[in-house]
Amino acid sequence: MLTKILIANRGEIALRVILACRELGVRTVAVYSEADEHALHVRYADEEVCIGPAKASESYLNVPSIISAAQVTGADGLHPGYGFLSESPYLAEAADACGITFIGPSVDSLRLLGDKVRARHAMKKAGIPILPGTAEPPESIGEALKASRRLGFPLIIKATAGGGGRGMRIVYDRSEIETAWSMAQREAAAAFGDGTLYLEKYIESPRHIEFQVLADRAGNVVHLGERECSIQRRHQKLIEEAPSTVLTDRQRRKLGKTVVNAVRAVGYQNAGTFEFLMDDRERFYFLEANTRLQVEHPVTEMVTGIDIVKEQIRIASGETLSFRQDEVVLMGHAIECRINAESPDTFRPSPGTIKVFSVPGGPGIRMDTAAHTDSVVSPHYDSLVAKLIAHGQDRDEAIARMRRALAMTVVEGVDTTIPLYRKIFEDQDFIAGRLNTSFMNRFASE
Ligand code: MV4
């Protein structure tokens, strides 16, 4: 078992990892920027190291700083959390080179699945259905035009180094390709340092369903079921739930087995999430793989009873999984709301000091947060204040519990998206489970 883990992150996810370490009896090292000196994750860690100024590029994205902090404190493990460097092959490679165990997949897996075209190839080879698209990135706009004749419209232009929807362009007609292509190229080069693009057939208003997997170093792979993440706004997930309202047990077993085989085929280790789109004829297509712990991991934890972070740490410590696939049983239904310090109407960030922070408890409620009364929501980082998760024996009970928990959650001093969730949880389509990725467009317009 690793003895001391440095958490290369901040906010609620840093605290979440620290909690898992404390329960495992593993010592922890928090890193913090000058803006996070009084943050809760620093308070609950055994040791802390300031790694630089508030600006993320000089602190939480600063690989030499983070690796040095691990070396001076003698940490033998490093958990990257999500966001920041959580999918960075550079951080993983630096950790490996310094004999520090990166709690995540190997550098090769990070590189393979981080390249969205290579990932598509690998999944197709492993028997996972992928969307019709270009096998190789078109070398020029001319090649893209040629590919569009074969694929038909609508098309979506994506960055091979991208993911999470950044730099994507949806194209409905041949006349739009040239402009969309050059804009996407510029955006991708600026955002990822790599302007390489590829094309896929665009699916209108799909459902967004992702499978959680765990794989140890001995080749054991299990999936922990799926999460439905169709309630999104500009690629920011707002509400996630498990299980999905549309997947039958048969579909879950079939897709889960396919994902497990693909994970084995690419030699993936530790926790990972494989995203799919489901079209209106209930066909599934692989979208992308996330080689990190995800924000929404708690909904899977609530329905399976498995602590995914502890499993990550055990796998990284060389332990084999302590359960088989047939021991993973989904119980009930869980829903998560991401409470952001943003205007509930415009989604404009609302940094500032939280004057009153009162969170609900009661049956089936979990609140993952590092916020507290007098804590500061910094303008330097993302606006996530807390994740409110409700679990019930079925979706209706989870909704009823989420409604009352939203009514009991008090955050004063900054705007939050709580009022938006209160409305969504009264919406008939939402309550009936009629979800897809266009839900928020329609909901907002109404
Ligand atoms: C798509 C798609 C439809 N067709 N790809 C890619 C990143 C992921 N987070 C969302 N992505 C999508 N890829 C094809 N071929 C639909 C999405 C998608 C989406 C796209 C635009 C606006 C919002 C979206 C929300 C969820 C999924």
Side-chain angles (χ1 to χ4, degrees):
M1 176 61 81
L2 294 168
T3 56
K4 188 186 283 189
I5 292 174
L6 181 141
I7 296 90
N9 215 301
R10 64 177 299 280
E12 71 87 14
I13 194 60
L15 188 60
R16 168 72 187 87
V17 175
I18 288 169
L19 300 187
C21 290
R22 285 174 79 121
E23 291 176 21
L24 288 173
V26 174
R27 294 175 57 74
T28 53
V29 177
V31 292
Y32 64 95
S33 72
E34 287 157 8
D36 281 337
E37 190 181 354
H38 304 296
L40 221 52
H41 76 282
V42 177
R43 188 188 309 181
Y44 285 105
D46 297 305
E47 299 174 57
E48 63 269 352
V49 179
C50 181
I51 50 170
K55 199 159 174 286
S57 57
E58 294 171 36
S59 48
Y60 296 107
L61 293 171
N62 184 335
V63 173
S65 242
I66 289 167
I67 294 296
S68 308
Q71 289 180 308
V72 299
T73 55
D76 52 5
L78 185 152
H79 195 299
Y82 53 63
F84 292 132
L85 295 166
S86 59
E87 302 191 282
S88 161
Y90 307 113
L91 176 67
E93 206 164 41
D96 290 355
C98 299
I100 299 160
T101 301
F102 180 78
I103 299 171
S106 67
V107 175
D108 289 347
S109 291
L110 290 169
R111 291 219 164 95
L112 170 71
L113 298 174
D115 176 325
K116 302 307 172 193
V117 170
R118 287 182 65 200
R120 273 166 48 88
H121 263 306
M123 291 303 116
K124 182 177 181 185
K125 205 161 149 243
I128 286 210
I130 63 171
L131 288 151
T134 51
E136 296 302 330
E139 303 270 316
S140 67
I141 183 67
E143 273 197 34
L145 281 161
K146 207 160 66 178
S148 72
R149 268 197 294 280
R150 172 171 59 85
L151 291 170
F153 291 91
L155 287 173
I156 188 165
I157 300 170
K158 293 183 175 180
T160 55
R166 287 183 303 173
M168 282 164 44
R169 280 279 181 300
I170 303 164
V171 177
Y172 288 94
D173 180 275
R174 198 181 154 69
S175 61
E176 298 167 12
I177 285 200
E178 201 126 3
T179 316
W181 187 266
S182 50
M183 284 173 73
Q185 208 155 38
R186 232 189 343 270
E187 265 181 47
F192 317 116
D194 176 354
T196 315
L197 303 172
Y198 66 104
L199 289 172
E200 281 180 351
K201 189 89 182 105
Y202 181 67
I203 297 185
E204 298 281 356
S205 308
R207 278 179 179 258
H208 187 124
I209 292 174
E210 58 189 32
F211 265 80
Q212 177 71 59
V213 296
L214 283 171
D216 67 21
R217 293 189 183 158
N220 301 305
V221 183
V222 296
H223 73 80
L224 304 184
E226 81 284 358
R227 294 185 287 262
E228 166 120 34
C229 310
S230 297
I231 311 283
Q232 309 193 9
R233 176 185 176 275
R234 292 194 190 156
H235 304 293
Q236 290 304 319
K237 294 167 182 168
L238 297 172
I239 297 175
E240 307 100 345
E241 56 184 289
S244 156
T245 49
V246 282
L247 227 56
T248 62
D249 280 343
R250 191 176 160 281
Q251 280 174 319
R252 178 172 298 109
R253 268 197 306 279
K254 185 164 170 278
L255 202 48
K257 208 190 293 299
T258 313
V259 172
V260 164
N261 292 338
V263 166
R264 211 171 265 129
V266 297
Y268 190 89
Q269 289 177 0
N270 212 279
T273 296
F274 286 67
E275 288 187 11
F276 292 85
L277 292 180
M278 188 188 89
D279 67 12
D280 51 11
R281 291 168 57 190
E282 302 215 345
R283 292 175 302 192
F284 286 85
Y285 301 96
F286 171 76
L287 192 59
E288 56 190 68
N290 300 315
T291 55
R292 66 180 187 277
L293 177 68
Q294 290 205 276
V295 173
E296 59 268 25
H297 76 273
V299 296
T300 299
E301 295 189 323
M302 298 289 269
V303 296
T304 60
I306 292 167
D307 183 316
I308 294 172
V309 179
K310 283 187 187 174
E311 293 306 323
Q312 284 191 289
I313 295 166
R314 289 184 181 120
I315 288 168
S317 303
E319 290 184 23
T320 54
L321 288 176
S322 60
F323 50 88
R324 294 187 315 276
Q325 187 66 60
D326 56 13
E327 293 169 286
V328 177
V329 180
L330 305 186
M331 295 288 288
H333 197 97
I335 305 177
E336 176 184 86
C337 289
R338 295 191 193 191
I339 298 176
N340 294 330
E342 294 168 352
S343 154
D345 312 311
T346 65
F347 293 89
R348 195 172 46 79
S350 169
T353 301
I354 293 175
K355 295 288 176 237
V356 177
F357 190 71
S358 169
V359 296
I365 293 302
R366 168 173 165 177
M367 177 69 93
D368 279 21
T369 185
H372 53 83
T373 299
D374 290 336
S375 69
V376 173
V377 179
S378 168
H380 296 283
Y381 313 114
D382 70 41
S383 60
L384 183 68
V385 168
K387 296 170 348 193
L388 176 55
I389 303 108
H391 179 268
Q393 63 181 20
D394 56 27
R395 190 167 186 266
D396 289 346
E397 186 173 62
I399 287 175
R401 285 177 167 168
M402 180 62 84
R403 270 205 201 108
R404 68 142 182 88
L406 286 167
M408 294 168 66
T409 304
V410 179
V411 182
E412 288 175 10
V414 296
D415 282 346
T416 73
T417 45
I418 292 172
L420 168 68
Y421 294 122
R422 288 178 181 154
K423 285 187 201 134
I424 291 177
F425 277 79
E426 298 300 335
D427 178 82
Q428 289 317 306
D429 280 338
F430 178 79
I431 292 166
R434 287 189 293 270
L435 313 174
N436 65 35
T437 52
S438 302
F439 176 91
M440 278 310 291
N441 305 341
R442 179 183 56 69
F443 190 80
S445 60
E446 284 161 9

